[in-house]
Amino acid sequence: MSNYHIKNFPEYFHVYRNSVRNPELFWEEIAEEHFLWREKWHKVVSWDFSKPEIKWYEGAKLNITENCIDRHLYTNAHKTAIIFEPNNPDEEAQHITYKDLHERVNQMANVLKSKGIQKGDRVCIYLPMIPELAISLLACARIGAIHSVVFAGFSSTALSTRINDSECKMVITSDGSYRGAKTIDLKGIVDEALVSCLCVEAVLVVNRINSEIEMKPERDFWIAPLLAEASKECAPEIMDAEDPLFILYTSGSTGKPKGMVHTTAGYMVYTAYTFKNVFQYTKGDVYWCTADIGWITGHSYIVYGPLANGATTVLFEGVPNYPNYGRFWEIVEKHKVNQFYTAPTAIRALAKEGVDFVDHHDLTSIKVLGTVGEPINEEAWHWYDDNIGKKKAPIVDTWWQTETGGVMITPIPFSTPTKPTYATLPFLGIQPVLMDENGNEITGNQVDGKLCIKYPWPSIARTIWGDHQRFKDTYFSTFKNMYFTGDGALRDEVGYYRITGRVDDVIIVSGHNLGTAPIEDAINEHPAVSESAIVGFPHDIKGNALYGYVTLKETGESRDHDNLRKEINQMITEQIGPIAKLDKIQFTEGLPKTRSGKIMRRILRKIACKDTSNLGDTSTLLNPEVVQDIMDNVL
Ligand code: 6R9
């Protein structure tokens, strides 16, 4: 029996039990039956979390691009691999077949080689969401170079820090990018960054917006003429299972970014297997993940996972509100998207604009909806379910991390009964545990604790680039023999998990541990509220008290703020209890967010504590301007 495609709930339980009873056999079968190997492994897994050292499929040889591209050529050469939907709806979408992709990746790989890139070299990719972005990742993988994608909304400082940390030899960028009605001068940002990067020898430039840019002789090269000359054949570099595939930086809550290192075989197996099951992708489906490839979600679930399954994956260059708030739904209708995967922050932003933008579009193609990135509040969940899925498409609330490489806790659609705000059950092979303050596992149900994983899975990150000690300290030192996620979670009466937020978001008020997510959830249910964020501030009696930042759907002086404050606290009292009432409620124009949509509570916490001396680096925020506004109006 193949365990590759789980089709119902009893099957999930059955396969799950086997996967944790005999993980080696389980992961061996999945790998054996569904991938192309140049040589088989001699050991499925070896691990020691105390070092930490983790190896999967040791001894195996492969190239991930043969699995993502070449093998589909036999049966699916003319199937669309990537649908590129440009920023401007009037620009024609591109359908890139597996055959086209094969040629374009090989040409790019040959260009990289011609500029001196070899196996093991690091290549920084700083591109907008255009086909060349996906192609560049795959071209690196083709020749065994390690890609390090930096989200093309990051500043020159953020870019140079990342380039220097992993000593990239090359940067791939574009003259500029389109973002809604704006254009961004990407090459200018790269030039600024490179002033302080001595390691970069060459810059390849894609022409996307036809802008006048400066090209530094000997260093900068337009990519098009090089591609035109390059051969469409490039033999794949045969990689070891544990050779690094990529580095991806994730911001710690403080300090310098961590370059998470993912390796080849395990990452491939896990992202492919999760993609198949979490989205129940079946032949002919069109799948769309709205994330940017600059995040792990884009790596795993726009590029590698879908392509390893021979799927059709949509790559969207633009933003949800250009030319208007209906753009997502227009694209779903246009390309008949079957699986749609986005973030709660996007759902809330679109919900705020009302359902008119949705109602103009035919969304009947949608079979599965997904969310990722932060806890989804109940109101947003229902809005998504009612208006987008029309109560027919299961919502997969997928919990995972840059460090985990793939989805870890999630419903399997059409199998696991969903429950709003719950990521529900572990994926096959994943063994989550909840730990208490004293380092003991909390057993049984209706409990909460710190979320750890007690057995390795194939796509767990192997180290932090250049700093293995930090890897150990951050993830493997809090609890003995456990991977510590940094998140808190609760397990309900049937064993479903609900992620309650980062553990550093837990606030202890009068001795009670309060997670921020459930309180924010209660607040967000108030009809006037769009979004909220809770932080703690010191309080003489309670130890900590709660400070809420709340954005309203409609701003304006006409609202009676004091009355709203009362109503909000009333809702919290009803849903959680008076212990969770807020001492201060500040109404704000917006909340400071990372580019991937996570609220930066660290900044809000400092402001609430009136400690604005050192807010840290706010340049990587999506909306740095709201910080000043919040400081000016602090209570
Ligand atoms: C994939 C990704 C990881 C952190 C993670 C957690 C939060 C992600 C979530 C979620 C609740 C979900 N998170 N998915 N919280 N429910 N479904 O987002 O990776 O950018 O590294 O962030 O995001 O706090 O620890 P990354």
Side-chain angles (χ1 to χ4, degrees):
M1 179 184 103
S2 168
N3 293 328
Y4 193 69
H5 187 186
I6 304 299
K7 296 200 188 66
N8 56 55
F9 209 30
E11 193 179 342
Y12 162 80
F13 275 112
H14 174 76
V15 176
Y16 181 78
R17 245 190 320 269
N18 290 342
S19 75
V20 301
R21 264 190 209 145
N22 194 342
E24 294 206 29
L25 179 66
F26 176 75
W27 288 113
E28 172 143 54
E29 278 178 6
I30 298 283
E32 220 156 36
E33 288 169 19
H34 298 279
F35 300 89
L36 189 67
W37 303 93
R38 290 294 189 112
E39 258 173 60
K40 285 281 158 70
W41 47 90
H42 48 74
K43 184 140 184 49
V44 176
V45 58
S46 53
W47 61 292
D48 179 348
F49 276 173
S50 70
K51 286 187 177 160
E53 189 176 271
I54 306 134
K55 290 182 180 157
W56 281 90
Y57 307 112
E58 226 181 324
K61 298 208 182 285
L62 72 156
N63 185 289
I64 194 168
T65 68
E66 280 197 301
N67 282 274
C68 289
I69 308 171
D70 302 53
R71 66 171 165 150
H72 308 312
L73 297 179
Y74 301 106
T75 46
N76 277 323
H78 300 291
K79 177 174 176 177
T80 301
I82 296 173
I83 298 176
F84 171 58
E85 172 68 26
N87 176 67
N88 180 347
D90 297 331
E91 188 181 328
E92 213 174 311
Q94 290 175 32
H95 291 252
I96 302 170
T97 65
Y98 275 93
K99 182 166 176 285
D100 300 335
L101 187 63
H102 185 253
E103 291 177 1
R104 292 180 68 175
V105 167
N106 283 342
Q107 285 179 309
M108 180 77 90
N110 284 325
V111 170
L112 299 187
K113 281 210 262 188
S114 75
K115 293 291 165 213
I117 299 299
Q118 297 176 350
K119 178 175 176 182
D121 286 343
R122 274 80 60 208
V123 173
C124 174
I125 302 173
Y126 186 72
L127 280 171
M129 284 284 283
I130 54 178
E132 288 80 357
L133 174 52
I135 289 167
S136 299
L137 267 70
L138 295 161
C140 287
R142 188 79 174 171
I143 62 170
I146 302 169
H147 57 74
S148 169
V149 181
V150 176
F151 172 61
F154 275 167
S155 66
S156 59
T157 320
L159 177 60
S160 64
T161 312
R162 286 159 178 78
I163 290 174
N164 283 329
D165 183 71
S166 47
E167 295 170 287
C168 295
K169 261 174 86 171
M170 175 186 270
V171 178
I172 307 178
T173 189
S174 62
D175 55 344
S177 66
Y178 295 119
R179 208 180 153 74
K182 287 186 282 191
T183 56
I184 296 161
D185 172 22
L186 283 194
K187 177 62 166 50
I189 298 172
V190 170
D191 288 340
E192 234 174 86
L194 292 192
V195 172
S196 50
C197 300
L198 299 175
C199 46
V200 174
E201 294 167 11
V203 178
L204 301 182
V205 187
V206 178
N207 179 358
R208 174 60 184 142
I209 65 167
N210 266 322
S211 63
E212 287 285 316
I213 56 164
E214 259 179 61
M215 295 290 279
K216 194 172 163 187
E218 315 279 294
R219 188 196 71 180
D220 301 348
F221 304 91
W222 288 107
I223 223 165
L226 299 173
L227 287 172
E229 277 172 23
S231 157
K232 291 176 180 165
E233 288 302 326
C234 175
E237 185 77 33
I238 304 307
M239 306 297 286
D240 286 337
E242 283 297 337
D243 278 336
L245 175 64
F246 66 86
I247 301 167
L248 185 60
Y249 287 88
T250 175
S251 37
S253 49
T254 50
K256 83 174 208 198
K258 299 174 282 195
M260 305 311 307
V261 177
H262 282 283
T263 58
T264 307
Y267 177 81
M268 172 183 78
V269 169
Y270 195 78
T271 53
Y273 184 47
T274 45
F275 174 76
K276 175 76 185 167
N277 287 292
V278 171
F279 299 103
Q280 290 291 306
Y281 185 87
T282 51
K283 216 173 155 206
D285 286 347
V286 173
Y287 160 89
W288 180 21
C289 164
T290 70
D292 193 288
I293 292 175
W295 312 119
I296 191 68
T297 306
H299 280 58
S300 302
Y301 299 112
I302 295 177
V303 183
Y304 289 112
L307 297 179
N309 283 281
T312 300
T313 175
V314 176
L315 199 158
F316 174 46
E317 183 182 29
V319 290
N321 59 354
Y322 178 79
N324 61 51
Y325 281 94
R327 186 69 193 277
F328 273 6
W329 320 124
E330 182 196 317
I331 296 173
V332 167
E333 178 175 4
K334 177 173 171 188
H335 298 298
K336 303 201 170 43
V337 169
N338 302 111
Q339 291 89 2
F340 177 78
Y341 192 29
T342 196
T345 181
I347 298 169
R348 285 194 297 266
L350 295 172
K352 192 174 163 181
E353 301 302 322
V355 291
D356 277 3
F357 288 108
V358 182
D359 287 345
H360 291 115
H361 297 287
D362 174 6
L363 304 183
T364 49
S365 58
I366 287 181
K367 296 197 272 194
V368 175
L369 293 173
T371 84
V372 58
E374 52 176 337
I376 181 165
N377 52 298
E378 194 148 356
E379 202 189 353
W381 196 99
H382 284 297
W383 188 87
Y384 203 29
D385 188 36
D386 294 346
N387 298 295
I388 308 304
K390 320 282 184 201
K391 288 201 158 69
K392 286 195 197 112
I395 295 176
V396 289
D397 176 353
T398 64
W399 173 84
W400 59 294
Q401 308 177 296
T402 305
E403 296 84 340
T404 69
V407 171
M408 301 287 284
I409 302 183
T410 179
I412 304 285
F414 311 109
S415 295
T416 319
T418 58
K419 177 173 174 183
T421 77
Y422 282 74
T424 73
L425 295 171
F427 190 73
L428 292 313
I430 302 303
Q431 303 189 35
V433 286
L434 297 178
M435 304 295 290
D436 71 14
E437 305 292 325
N438 307 318
N440 299 315
E441 182 174 340
I442 307 167
T443 53
N445 286 344
Q446 284 190 297
V447 291
D448 65 88
K450 296 182 176 173
L451 180 62
C452 292
I453 315 290
K454 68 175 173 192
Y455 194 90
W457 60 100
S459 65
I460 182 175
R462 305 300 196 256
T463 190
I464 292 175
W465 185 266
D467 199 349
H468 197 66
Q469 186 62 41
R470 188 175 178 199
F471 185 59
K472 178 175 172 172
D473 294 345
T474 312
Y475 305 106
F476 298 92
S477 302
T478 317
F479 300 101
K480 203 166 172 255
N481 277 324
M482 300 273 171
Y483 166 78
F484 175 42
T485 65
D487 283 327
L490 61 81
R491 194 161 50 220
D492 77 357
E493 63 285 356
V494 299
Y496 273 19
Y497 288 88
R498 178 185 186 178
I499 311 302
T500 47
R502 301 292 303 172
V503 174
D504 44 18
D505 295 342
V506 170
I507 307 166
I508 305 185
V509 178
S510 307
H512 296 268
N513 283 18
L514 298 176
T516 50
I519 304 174
E520 288 163 8
D521 229 30
I523 301 173
N524 296 351
E525 272 177 43
H526 191 290
V529 171
S530 168
E531 275 198 300
S532 60
I534 304 298
V535 297
F537 69 99
H539 187 278
D540 287 347
I541 296 166
K542 307 180 193 176
N544 290 297
L546 300 177
Y547 193 114
Y549 297 88
V550 176
T551 62
L552 298 176
K553 285 185 180 146
E554 285 165 38
T555 46
E557 293 308 309
S558 58
R559 289 206 162 266
D560 178 349
H561 281 178
D562 280 337
N563 199 35
L564 263 179
R565 287 189 178 95
K566 273 193 205 128
E567 287 172 11
I568 287 171
N569 267 330
Q570 185 56 33
M571 294 189 75
I572 296 173
T573 307
E574 281 163 18
Q575 296 203 18
I576 298 162
I579 180 72
K581 279 204 313 203
L582 310 183
D583 277 40
K584 295 183 183 178
I585 300 179
Q586 178 181 351
F587 295 103
T588 67
E589 291 292 321
L591 300 171
K593 287 195 186 154
T594 66
R595 301 279 182 161
S596 59
K598 297 192 205 319
I599 298 168
M600 286 287 264
R601 291 196 178 69
R602 174 172 61 83
I603 292 172
L604 294 174
R605 200 175 301 126
K606 287 208 153 191
I607 297 176
C609 297
K610 307 249 162 63
D611 166 21
T612 51
S613 54
N614 178 17
L615 286 182
D617 181 12
T618 54
S619 70
T620 57
L621 290 180
L622 186 66
N623 50 355
E625 70 286 352
V626 304
V627 176
Q628 190 58 48
D629 180 62
I630 292 175
M631 285 201 296
D632 292 344
N633 294 300
V634 67
L635 301 173

